[in-house]
Each structure stands twice: as C-alpha cells, then as structure tokens.
Amino acid sequence: MPEATQRPYHHGQLRSALLAAAERSLRAHGEEQLSLRELAREIGVSHAAPRRHFPDRQALLDALAEAGFERLYTRLRAACTEAGDDFLPRLRATVAAYIRFATEDAALLELMFTSKHRPGADRLVVAADPAFDLMYDLIKQGQAAGELVEGDPERVGVVLFATMQGIATLVNGDMVKPELLDGLVDTAVEQFVRGARPA
Amino acid sequence: MPEATQRPYHHGQLRSALLAAAERSLRAHGEEQLSLRELAREIGVSHAAPRRHFPDRQALLDALAEAGFERLYTRLRAACTEAGDDFLPRLRATVAAYIRFATEDAALLELMFTSKHRPGADRLVVAADPAFDLMYDLIKQGQAAGELVEGDPERVGVVLFATMQGIATLVNGDMVKPELLDGLVDTAVEQFVRGARPA
DNA sequence: ACCTGAACACCGTTCAAGT
DNA sequence: ACCTGAACACCGTTCAAGT
C-alpha cells in the first residue's frame, strides 16, 4: 500500500472509485446521462482505464444494480427488525422502507428491475434473491401467526412484491394523484392482509 | 396529394413513418439502441429531417409512449367487453390483457411508465388517464355488484394497477420463477378480490 | 497487472442553405 | 413548410504501447 497522496486511484482503488462516482451520477442525472468518459475525467484517469475493471458500460451498470439489491436488502432487514416482533407492524415497516428506497433512488431501482434478461445478467437475478427471501420469511411469519392463509409463501409473496414495485413505479412516474399518495402504502398493506388472511 | 411513387416521405408522411419505424426498432432492439440517424437512413431522409417533427430524441420517445397508452387502452377495453357483462370475468380478462400487452411490448411499457416527470411530460400522464379510468370503472362495477367494498374507487384501483404493473416488471425482468408464472395473474386477481370484498 | 493515447465508428444537435 | 449537408461536441470501444 503506497502513500498515494496525489493519485490515489492509480493502484487498486479505481474499481470502487468508479462505482462510487457512478452511483452519484446515477442519482443526480439518471442512467442515460451516465458517461464512462466523464467518470474517468472526474476520477482523473484516462477514458480507457475503466475497461480493466468493467468490460463495458453495461457491466458497470450491472454492478451498480447488484450493489443496489444488497443495499435494498440491508434496508429492508433494518426496517423489519426495528419494527419489533409482531407481524403486522413488521410488514408495514418493510413495505414503507421499500417505497422509501424506491423513491429516493428511482434511477437505481429502474436499473435493478428493468434489466431485461440479457446473457450474463444471472448475477443480478441472484442478487435480488435475499430481498425476495426476506419477503417470503415475513409471509411465513404471518402464516405461523395465523394472520395469513397457508400455502406456498412465494406464491402470495410475489404478488406483494409486485405491488410494492408497481407502487414505486407509479409514484416515481408521477402517475398517482398526490392526494392518494400518502395513504397508498397503508391501503396496499391493508388490502394485502385482508386478501390473504385465513377464511 | 402528389403521386409520390419514389419518395413517399418527402411530403407529410415523415412523422408517421418515423413513429412506425421507431416502434419496430423499439420492439426489436430496445430503447437504448434506437437511433434517430438510423431511422432516418431506413426511411431515406437526411439525418436532420426528423427535427421538423420531433425537436429531439426524447420527443419521439414521448410520442411513442403516448401512442402506447392509447393502444393499451384499446386493448384493455376490447378484453373487457369481450369478457361479457359480469364483474369477475371482466376483471380477470382485463388484468390478463394488461400482462399480455406488457410482456409483448416490454420496452414500450418501460417507456410509458419510467419517464420520470420531466417538464413537458404532462401529455404522457394525461395519455395514461383512459387506461386508469377503465380500471376505476371496473372497480365501480364491482362495487355496484356488491363484490367490492364501497369507497373511493381510485384508492383501491391504484393498488390494483400497481400490482399489474409490478407483475409485468418482474416477469419482464425474469424475476419470477417460471413455475409461479402461470398462476400469477390468477393469484393476483383472487387476492385482490378477497382483499377488497365487503366484510 | 494496470493504465495511457491515439484512432474508429457512431451518436444527437445545430444551422445556414436549398427547394 | 420541409428537407439537406456540413459541422460540432460528445460518446463507447479497441488496441498498441508504456510503466
């Protein structure tokens, strides 16, 4: 490890520096505006340098999306545990945390979910698993508590996940009237719990 | 109206020709690959010609999205009426038609919904209204038939719309296990109806 | 192993000029 | 009114060459 006072990215840090700069650019200006050359300029390396760490632009975007899923999972887990042990508050908190993540990082969410299956994107689908699994665990808890019907947790969980994802998309696209916005998460959770509770 | 045998796009047809070519390109190669210059080449005009009809690339994409909403509405309406007069079959058919549209035209759907509110995109939000309204009318029918709880149709309708949109996103991103795919729409509809039926 | 510099092919956008 | 042609500034990607 050299002192690296003037050119801190000359050795070993370029990959993480690119990811950090890309994340900022994504949040500030969206995916379309993200330019590899501009990132390289910011960091102070040549425009060809990123190639050693990301074979092309898409590889960088995929890495961002992958990191996004990890952060989403961390956030959901935090919200879930902080909400205590009971099913319903946990569910509410988790859904709310998802929507918060989605609206704060709209461009990132888009990257995470709209990466139509290209060869090599399997890593991304795998990266999404923990977040899904957390949802399924929540469903299982609800079932154990007698609040949700029995049956494959994934079957009902996917629908809940889809609803959250869809709400995020509608909100980010300004397609939900402001007066409905506040109660939207509550309505969704309430409707879900009613729809999936035991007869 | 001239004969226009050799250069059919020289007068008045360029706008619609661009839209048609753009729609094909979008479906075949996605949004990122869509190039104004390439469309102009295909059609046989100079690369600067599109500018008279669409001030920039985004304007063309917005027009595509707008047309997409119109086609979505037409499809939903057709599915709805063909399904007969009863609420539940209508609901099922409409949701299924939405998912069909979404998977057949994944890239278009993305354009339609992920166009984060930029100034000038109000036209798009307005274009989406009929599809939403159709959904709300369906909700109202369900309420009149006593199958759904009373209350603001939009409040419960938005959640349903979000669920459909989210399912489309998950399916298009290959994030739902194949064995769950078939029953997904049924599960979603069933869960919705249970969640929103009168106590 | 990691980065540079020049080069290539392609964009979107602009604008004076043509018809 | 509608289109052309040249020009500008910017990309992503490639590759020989440097350290």
Side-chain angles (χ1 to χ4, degrees):
Chain A
M1 264 194 240
E3 282 298 329
T5 53
Q6 292 186 336
R7 303 286 299 265
Y9 307 113
H10 236 24
H11 296 296
Q13 310 273 22
L14 183 51
R15 191 193 148 90
S16 57
L18 279 168
L19 283 172
E23 202 180 313
R24 263 181 295 131
S25 172
L26 182 67
R27 204 185 320 240
H29 309 108
E31 190 241 49
E32 312 237 285
Q33 296 287 338
L34 189 148
S35 150
L36 282 184
R37 283 177 109 109
E38 191 179 331
L39 297 182
R41 241 178 277 129
E42 275 179 35
I43 294 173
V45 293
S46 90
H47 62 262
R51 184 146 222 271
R52 290 288 135 185
H53 304 277
F54 303 101
D56 56 19
R57 198 185 106 113
Q58 191 56 54
L60 174 58
L61 296 180
D62 285 345
L64 278 182
E66 205 179 324
F69 273 117
E70 282 165 27
R71 211 171 64 219
L72 173 61
Y73 170 63
T74 304
R75 291 260 219 118
L76 294 187
R77 198 161 39 105
C80 196
T81 58
E82 280 171 20
D85 290 331
D86 292 347
F87 169 64
L88 213 69
R90 272 194 168 184
L91 182 65
R92 274 189 226 282
T94 307
V95 173
Y98 186 91
I99 302 299
R100 223 174 305 126
F101 176 90
T103 51
E104 286 170 5
D105 254 321
L108 178 60
L109 192 82
E110 216 174 302
L111 269 193
M112 289 159 60
F113 282 97
T114 67
S115 61
K116 178 71 184 161
H117 200 54
R118 357 162 224 285
D122 310 274
R123 283 180 58 89
L124 241 177
V125 177
V126 171
D129 274 345
F132 277 95
D133 286 342
L134 182 142
M135 229 59 205
Y136 300 149
D137 285 343
L138 245 176
I139 303 290
K140 285 181 205 158
Q141 183 188 355
Q143 291 176 327
E147 307 242 29
L148 299 181
V149 284
E150 295 298 320
D152 184 2
E154 298 200 13
R155 207 177 66 100
V156 50
V158 167
V159 176
L160 176 60
F161 206 103
T163 305
M164 301 192 308
Q165 167 57 29
I167 289 175
T169 300
L170 291 187
V171 171
N172 284 338
D174 287 322
M175 305 207 121
V176 42
K177 294 185 181 165
E179 67 263 31
L180 292 174
L181 213 159
D182 273 346
L184 196 47
V185 169
D186 290 338
T187 306
V189 171
E190 180 193 323
Q191 215 171 108
F192 168 73
V193 172
R194 284 193 43 150
R197 75 180 166 196
Chain B
M1 262 195 240
E3 283 295 331
T5 54
Q6 291 185 336
R7 303 286 298 262
Y9 308 113
H10 237 23
H11 296 297
Q13 310 272 22
L14 183 50
R15 191 192 147 90
S16 57
L18 279 168
L19 283 173
E23 201 180 313
R24 262 181 296 129
S25 172
L26 182 67
R27 204 185 318 241
H29 308 108
E31 190 241 52
E32 312 238 286
Q33 296 286 337
L34 190 149
S35 149
L36 281 184
R37 284 178 109 110
E38 191 180 329
L39 296 182
R41 243 177 276 131
E42 275 179 34
I43 294 172
V45 293
S46 89
H47 62 262
R51 185 146 222 272
R52 290 288 134 186
H53 304 278
F54 303 100
D56 56 18
R57 198 184 106 112
Q58 191 56 54
L60 174 57
L61 295 181
D62 285 345
L64 279 181
E66 204 178 325
F69 273 117
E70 281 165 27
R71 211 171 65 218
L72 173 61
Y73 170 64
T74 304
R75 291 260 219 118
L76 293 187
R77 198 161 40 105
C80 195
T81 58
E82 281 171 19
D85 290 331
D86 292 346
F87 168 64
L88 213 69
R90 271 195 169 184
L91 182 65
R92 274 189 225 284
T94 307
V95 173
Y98 186 91
I99 302 299
R100 223 175 304 126
F101 176 90
T103 51
E104 286 170 5
D105 255 319
L108 179 60
L109 192 82
E110 215 174 301
L111 269 192
M112 290 159 61
F113 282 97
T114 67
S115 60
K116 180 69 184 163
H117 201 54
R118 353 162 227 285
D122 310 274
R123 284 180 59 87
L124 241 177
V125 178
V126 171
D129 274 346
F132 278 95
D133 286 343
L134 183 141
M135 229 60 205
Y136 301 149
D137 285 343
L138 244 174
I139 304 288
K140 284 180 206 158
Q141 184 188 354
Q143 291 175 327
E147 307 241 28
L148 299 181
V149 284
E150 296 297 320
D152 183 1
E154 297 200 12
R155 206 176 66 99
V156 50
V158 165
V159 176
L160 177 61
F161 206 103
T163 305
M164 301 193 308
Q165 167 57 29
I167 288 176
T169 301
L170 291 186
V171 170
N172 283 338
D174 286 322
M175 306 209 120
V176 41
K177 294 186 181 165
E179 67 262 30
L180 292 174
L181 213 158
D182 274 345
L184 196 48
V185 169
D186 290 339
T187 305
V189 171
E190 180 193 322
Q191 214 169 109
F192 167 74
V193 172
R194 284 194 43 155
R197 76 180 165 195

